[in-house]
Amino acid sequence: MSLKQRLPLLRWSFIRMGIGAWHFAKTGQWGDGREAAAADYVVANARQGDLDDVLATIDKFAYEKSFLINVGDEKGALLDAAVRRAETQLALELGTYCGYGAMRIARAAPAARVFSVEFSRANAEIARRIWAHAGVADRVTCVVGTIGDGGKTLDALTQSGFAPAGLDLVFLDHDKNAYLPDLHSILDRGWLHAGSIVVADNVKLPGAPKYLAYMREHQGTVWNTTEHKTHAEYQTLLPDLVLESEYLGG
């Protein structure tokens, strides 16, 4: 990894994120076309039907072309391990972005059904295009919406087969302020079972302090949480924290 790759502040595509923050908050994209460009790059350079190569190609794009905010390769390995520990048959991701996290889940659990919730319709289309190229479109489904939309998205998931005690893994990688209320909404539906695992990205950067405080408060009673100290995606300068929380029931 080059110095420029290790230090994101040297990369224009990283600096450009500060300029486009308002656009991202509104649309889920940074406003410079990098998400669509990532899909074009995958289709042009990754072997069709080769999930490993598609994931590696996205990583290469994020390191060498434009910075992306998906979980990335370093933290992605933590997600992979959690998926396997959960013996995942049904997974829910919140925050699709370009579809990278859902593909890592699908690769780590080849027999699983993976549902990903994304508020941006444009991102959903980009993810679906990449999933089709990777050959996982039959196993990964994007639902456009948010968990906090008054029950519409939760009801759509119920109609797709979500049932009490049926959800093995949840991956939180969306609006950090929504981590805790969305987790409570999932708990209220009764979808988790003892042994379900919830993985939360970006708990340190940009940070999910209420979620972190909740998990620490309920450690050993409702949840058994491991705090993984790591780095923010696609660089080694900025620290991050990934929480892996096993549901104990309650």
Side-chain angles (χ1 to χ4, degrees):
M1 190 186 301
S2 69
L3 179 64
K4 188 175 181 182
Q5 290 170 337
R6 290 197 302 270
L7 303 178
L9 298 180
L10 299 178
R11 301 185 60 190
W12 167 247
S13 64
F14 185 86
I15 298 168
R16 176 67 179 75
M17 289 166 61
I19 301 170
W22 66 272
H23 194 275
F24 181 82
K26 240 180 120 172
T27 68
Q29 298 186 347
W30 293 106
D32 59 1
R34 72 182 67 188
E35 294 83 12
D40 290 342
Y41 188 80
V42 165
V43 171
N45 293 280
R47 291 185 294 274
Q48 188 168 6
D50 188 332
L51 180 53
D52 290 340
D53 196 44
V54 168
L55 286 166
T57 300
I58 294 174
D59 288 335
K60 184 177 180 180
F61 179 91
Y63 278 122
E64 298 180 3
K65 303 296 181 181
S66 290
F67 195 90
L68 297 174
I69 59 162
N70 43 253
V71 65
D73 50 353
E74 180 184 353
K75 293 185 292 183
L78 298 172
L79 175 61
D80 296 347
V83 171
R84 290 190 288 267
R85 273 191 285 274
E87 298 180 352
T88 304
Q89 297 296 309
L90 179 63
L92 175 63
E93 174 189 50
L94 303 185
T96 310
Y97 193 46
C98 295
Y100 180 94
M103 285 191 293
R104 289 201 78 113
I105 296 170
R107 183 175 65 175
R113 292 184 301 143
V114 183
F115 288 81
S116 187
V117 174
E118 170 61 41
F119 85 96
S120 165
R121 192 169 297 277
N123 281 347
E125 290 306 313
I126 287 168
R128 289 170 183 146
R129 183 183 178 202
I130 292 174
W131 295 339
H133 190 79
V136 296
D138 59 332
R139 297 195 285 125
V140 185
T141 301
C142 186
V143 177
V144 177
T146 66
I147 297 300
D149 61 7
K152 181 179 177 182
T153 297
L154 289 167
D155 289 345
L157 292 169
T158 298
Q159 292 169 9
S160 295
F162 280 59
L167 182 56
D168 304 305
L169 181 114
V170 180
F171 178 40
L172 304 176
D173 196 18
H174 61 316
D175 177 2
K176 313 314 163 190
N177 293 323
Y179 278 17
L180 188 54
D182 286 359
L183 177 61
H184 282 311
S185 293
I186 291 167
L187 287 168
D188 289 344
R189 291 272 170 151
W191 288 345
L192 301 185
H193 58 80
S196 294
I197 292 178
V198 179
V199 177
D201 190 17
N202 302 125
V203 176
K204 183 177 180 67
L205 186 72
K210 292 182 180 179
Y211 182 87
L212 177 60
Y214 166 81
M215 284 301 178
R216 287 176 172 173
E217 179 184 354
H218 295 282
Q219 172 67 13
T221 54
V222 181
W223 300 94
N224 181 25
T225 296
T226 301
E227 299 184 11
H228 298 282
K229 293 182 179 179
T230 181
H231 300 97
E233 45 270 23
Y234 298 122
Q235 50 79 47
T236 59
L237 174 66
L238 304 173
D240 200 358
L241 190 65
V242 171
L243 263 56
E244 178 185 342
S245 303
E246 180 184 351
Y247 185 53
L248 303 178

